[in-house]
Amino acid sequence: MPFFHAADGTKLYYEESGTGIPVLALSGLTRNTRDFDHVAPHLPVRLIRMDYRGRGESEWADYKTYNIPQEAADALALLDHLGLEQAAILGTSRGGLIAMLLAATAKDRLLGVVLNDIGPEIDPKGMAVIANYIGKNPVEDYHEDAAQARARNWVHFKGVPHARWLAEVRAHYAQTADGLVVRYDPKLRDAVLEGLEQPTPDLWPLYDALGGLPLALIRGANSDLMTEACADEMLRRRPDMIRADIKNRGHVPFLDEKDARDALTEWLEDLDEY
């Protein structure tokens, strides 16, 4: 497995495939490189993925380093490790927040950004859902049961085949003799809950820092984390932003939906011209 070391010595996992424009794919808060399995076949790029510290195949660290500034620094360390001066970012949820921070702090390293169901305003209802489940293992003992539970309980998603739910739970839960366990450090819960105790920062300046970069927003039409009003304001500030609202999807779209693929194709064309 390919690994690199962050500045503090933490060993972090990454993988890459394909050729062309380098696109760094950054996953959701509790998720890992498998986030992009569904869309990868549709991206004619050099796709680079990484597991944040404490997630997936990466080494666990002090939970106090499980924060967006540190993860942004780790992303830059990966680009340095690969000898890349610049890359575009496909950021799902947490990954999109990291992308916005990088736009404000290291914009010269970015070629463009896709935000997957994330923006500068986060709906408290969605954060409450995350705070409730993070750090907890599923109650189901087997992947098959967990997939069936998702089909029943993820009401913001419609028309998802069983095979997709099964792939999702296999990607994010490991099978053990004692049942299913999350594929991340459970102390991530402490990091998130402590962060929620802090005043909510104004993230609009980070979004505005994306100015001039090819930008796309892919949003689940049923998202409980990103409101339509936030997406509307993002488009008002950036009329050139590519936007796709994916029907029958909540937080987050899988990215291989037709409208999502079309938005990504248009964004890649913008990158070629940038």
Side-chain angles (χ1 to χ4, degrees), residues 93 116-117 130 154 156-157 222-225 249-253:
S93 194
N116 182 20
D117 209 59
I130 293 172
W154 285 44
H156 294 143
F157 288 77
N222 300 333
S223 178
D224 62 353
L225 199 76
R249 294 294 181 264
H251 184 76
V252 289

Side-chain angles (χ1 to χ4, degrees), residues 6 24 34 37 61 70 73 88-89 97 121 131-132 141 176 180 191 210 220 232 234 246 250 259 269:
L24 176 59
R34 303 279 65 80
D37 282 353
Q70 179 63 63
I89 294 183
L97 296 176
E121 293 180 0
N132 182 60
D141 289 330
T176 74
L180 300 177
L210 293 166
D232 290 345
M234 292 167 69
I246 311 303
D259 288 347
E269 292 171 352

Side-chain angles (χ1 to χ4, degrees), residues 73-116:
D74 292 344
L76 292 179
L78 175 55
L79 296 186
D80 292 342
H81 173 76
L82 296 173
L84 290 172
E85 294 185 2
Q86 291 183 304
I89 294 183
L90 170 55
T92 288
S93 194
R94 174 84 154 203
L97 296 176
I98 293 170
M100 288 192 286
L101 179 60
L102 289 174
T105 59
K107 191 172 184 176
D108 60 319
R109 306 297 300 270
L110 304 186
L111 294 172
V113 169
V114 175
L115 301 173
N116 182 20

Side-chain angles (χ1 to χ4, degrees), residues 163-177:
R164 175 59 57 89
W165 286 133
L166 190 58
E168 284 285 295
V169 298
R170 284 175 172 164
H172 302 297
Y173 304 133
Q175 183 72 63
T176 74

Side-chain angles (χ1 to χ4, degrees), residues 150-192:
R150 285 211 175 191
R152 291 191 305 270
N153 300 329
W154 285 44
V155 296
H156 294 143
F157 288 77
K158 305 293 183 184
V160 179
H162 177 71
R164 175 59 57 89
W165 286 133
L166 190 58
E168 284 285 295
V169 298
R170 284 175 172 164
H172 302 297
Y173 304 133
Q175 183 72 63
T176 74
D178 297 321
L180 300 177
V181 297
V182 293
R183 294 187 187 270
Y184 60 88
D185 183 354
K187 284 188 174 294
L188 181 60
R189 177 179 179 83
D190 298 318
V192 169

